[in-house]
Amino acid sequence: MTLWERAQLAITLLAIDPQRLGGLVIRARAGPAQAAMLAAVQGLNMPKVKLQHHMTPEVLNGDIDLSVSLAERRLVMRKSIFDCAPSLFVLPMAERCAPQFSARICQALEADLGHAVIALDEAAEEGEALPAALTDRLSFHVTLDDLALQDLTPVTLPRAIEDIRAAVRGVILPAELVQEAVKLAASLGISSLRAPLLLGYAAQAHAALHGRNEVTDDDFKLAVMLVYPHRATRLPEDPEPEAQPDGANPPEAAQEPTQAKPPNDLMIEAVKAVLPAGVLTQLQSAAKQPASGSGSGTRRKGNHRGRPLPARVGPKNSGARVDLVASLRAAIPWQTLRKAGNPKAMGPIFKASDLRHKRYEIQSDRLLIFTVDASGSAAVARLAEAKGAVELLLGEAYARRDHVALYAFRGTGSEALLPPTRSLVQTKKRLAALPGGGATPLAAGLVAAFNLAVQERRNGLTPTLILLTDGRANVALDGSNDRAQAAADAQMLAQKIAEAQIPALVIDTTIRPEKTLQTLAGTMRANYIALPRSDAKSVSAAVSSALAQS
């Protein structure tokens, strides 16, 4: 069975039993394959509703209909978008689905309202993926990136689809196949108990499609190929052949009838046939580590601009804007009691507890500003370490939307070796030849990094400063060779960075931890990491660990 035939079969089974099968994940960029699948989706005999990521909680959950409630002087609720007839919800760019958004979709699927979901996974990188809870509730997953236009054929659904829908609930699923589904899930490393259920529903739908009233081994095998491969995290090792006893006659043994493989082995072979080459390594790494990012940047809370979030109660002097509509919604349910206590009052009665403030979620790119000590005899090694760390971090920069900048300080000042960029090619070109040697103007390096952080923060980026040095400052900001003044200038800049609330990381490259550098990190309110024998991998790992904790 080809990839496109499996996709056609998944659409057909979903059309037969959308309520129990939950839905389908289509991983494909915009193109003929995605268009063909969406055309097939339009043929499903269900109302279609397109979900948008900017939908507010009021639209998803339902809320007070403010205008009607005020006009009729009674509480009138607005229906949720999911409070409708059984529908097929289409979610574009599902890899960017926020956790609270996907949680509401999962809640709608669990409510037994007959809904199903088509999730379009248009991720450009392997690190981008749908929320695990949503993927777990959708039976099928098809990847169409490798299909060409000539591989596509029209998708035709059975004409007697309504009769098949009526018969699917009466299809018998043998108990031994249920046990086999659970054992197979365990052997493939599938921990979710929902997977065997979805496998049974898919097998029943396939049996009903072919007019059978009981699930056969063929139905079960095809269901395994559709439901289990994208959930698998491992494959069981093939059993070693049993040793032949001494004196065994190989020709006679070859004449004996070959024993059929047990069903579990046959199903594992079916999964192997579906999985593309090299996918197990990706599955194992995905099971151990969370996705590196959703591809939408770092999320920050604000109260003036960004993506709207549900309003919250806050103090009057919080500086946030008042959400008038949300405040009215909070006050309306209490009007009957408040009118009874104060019958002479005209109009709605408000209290301080009704006040709601607007909140927004700002998604901004993160900027990692490497500030590297290029002075002294160890300058070349330190710059090489920073170069390697920058290249390692840029390998993950696309999914996390990180930018990287690099400053080197030596002599009497600092130099911008790399402006903010996400281009790995440009980074390698700029870092091909790195200068080194001279005195240590630590304060000058901090000034350059601080100014860049402030400037890029105004441009919407979220800066993080990473200082790689031995901490032995000996050049002041005015260029004089005064160690005491150089240390004081560095402390003054560290205080400014702390007051500006710029996240920072200080990496100590000396053989023994430097106390002055520990003090500087404390003033800067930065994480301090001692790496006396730092290399590119250790620096990159330290940066990634510190960013994950921040």
Side-chain angles (χ1 to χ4, degrees), residues 1 6 184 188 217-218 220-226 228-229 235 261 263-276:
M1 180 179 291
R6 291 199 300 270
L184 182 59
L188 294 174
D217 289 343
D218 290 338
F220 189 76
K221 179 179 179 180
L222 286 171
V224 166
M225 295 175 64
L226 292 175
Y228 274 5
L235 281 182
K261 288 186 176 181
N264 194 40
D265 291 344
L266 291 176
M267 297 305 109
I268 291 174
E269 292 299 327
V271 174
K272 285 183 178 180
V274 175
L275 289 175

Side-chain angles (χ1 to χ4, degrees), residues 342-493:
N342 189 5
K344 296 182 179 180
M346 300 294 293
I349 302 176
F350 292 93
K351 292 188 177 181
S353 59
D354 300 328
L355 196 61
R356 299 291 186 272
H357 292 103
K358 292 184 177 181
R359 297 191 311 147
Y360 300 93
E361 181 181 76
I362 306 170
Q363 294 183 337
S364 63
D365 296 353
R366 182 163 51 191
L367 171 63
L368 308 180
I369 306 174
F370 282 85
T371 308
V372 184
D373 185 354
S375 64
S377 59
V380 176
R382 269 197 300 269
L383 285 170
E385 293 154 7
K387 172 185 175 182
V390 169
E391 292 185 1
L392 287 174
L393 289 172
L394 276 174
E396 306 173 358
Y398 182 83
R400 296 190 317 201
R401 294 297 191 268
D402 287 348
H403 292 73
V404 175
L406 178 62
Y407 278 90
F409 56 90
R410 67 189 182 100
T412 59
S414 65
E415 180 183 1
L417 298 179
L418 181 69
T421 182
R422 285 206 314 253
S423 171
L424 186 58
V425 175
Q426 182 184 5
T427 303
K428 291 181 178 180
K429 289 181 180 179
R430 294 293 184 92
L431 302 182
L434 298 175
T440 308
L442 177 57
L446 292 178
V447 166
F450 174 74
N451 292 336
L452 178 64
V454 173
Q455 174 187 342
E456 296 301 330
R457 178 181 281 176
R458 292 172 183 160
N459 294 334
L461 296 180
T462 303
T464 297
L465 194 154
I466 302 166
L467 176 63
L468 188 70
T469 181
D470 58 11
R472 299 185 181 96
N474 53 25
V475 177
L477 280 176
D478 57 6
S480 61
N481 294 325
D482 187 340
R483 288 183 179 274
Q485 185 60 40
D489 291 344
Q491 287 290 333
M492 180 265 294
L493 264 301

